[in-house]
C-alpha cells in the first residue's frame, strides 16, 4: 500500500513537473496535469484495492480536464468534489465486525 500511494503520488508529481517543463506548460495547465496524474493513481488504487477509488479517479481526471471551463472558483469546486469523493464512500462502506479477543 505504501509503495502504491507514496510512490504513485511522488512519481505523479515528478512526472507532472518534468512534462510541464518539457511542454512549457505554466499556471493552470501545469496544475491540471498534476491533478490528472494523481487521478490516475487513484483510479489504479480502485482497480487494485478499493472500488470506491475508481469513481474518485474518474472524477479527478474529468475535473482536471473541465476545471478550465468553470469561470469562477473552478479549483475550489474541484477540491470540494475531491473531498466529497473521499468522504461519501465511507458512509456506504460495508463495515466489518470488530474482532474481540
Amino acid at each position: 500500500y505504501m509503495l502504491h500511494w507514496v510512490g504513485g503520488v511522488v512519481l505523479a508529481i515528478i512526472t507532472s513537473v518534468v512534462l510541464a517543463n518539457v511542454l512549457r506548460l505554466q499556471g493552470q495547465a501545469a496544475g491540471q496535469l498534476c491533478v490528472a496524474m494523481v487521478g490516475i493513481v487513484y483510479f489504479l488504487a480502485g482497480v487494485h484495492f478499493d472500488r470506491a477509488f475508481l469513481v474518485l479517479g474518474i472524477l479527478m481526471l474529468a475535473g482536471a480536464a473541465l476545471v478550465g471551463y468553470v469561470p469562477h472558483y473552478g479549483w475550489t469546486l474541484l477540491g470540494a468534489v475531491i473531498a466529497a469523493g473521499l468522504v461519501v464512500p465511507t458512509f456506504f462502506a460495508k463495515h466489518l465486525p470488530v474482532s474481540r479477543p
Side-chain angles (χ1 to χ4, degrees):
Y1 289 107
M2 186 184 78
L3 181 62
H4 172 82
W5 289 110
V6 174
V9 172
V10 167
L11 285 174
I13 292 171
I14 289 171
T15 304
S16 298
V17 169
V18 169
L19 280 173
N21 285 329
V22 169
L23 299 175
R24 305 279 187 235
L25 298 177
Q26 295 178 356
Q28 184 166 326
Q32 287 174 287
L33 178 63
C34 189
V35 170
M37 297 298 283
V38 173
I40 292 171
V41 173
Y42 272 90
F43 180 80
L44 291 175
V47 170
H48 297 290
F49 303 130
D50 187 2
R51 297 290 182 230
F53 290 127
L54 278 173
V55 175
L56 182 58
I58 292 169
L59 284 175
M60 288 178 79
L61 288 167
L66 297 176
V67 74
Y69 294 107
V70 178
H72 301 290
Y73 303 109
W75 286 101
T76 304
L77 182 61
L78 179 59
V81 168
I82 292 170
L86 287 169
V87 173
V88 169
T90 62
F91 296 118
F92 302 106
K94 295 180 181 97
H95 296 287
L96 299 175
V98 176
S99 61
R100 307 267 176 179

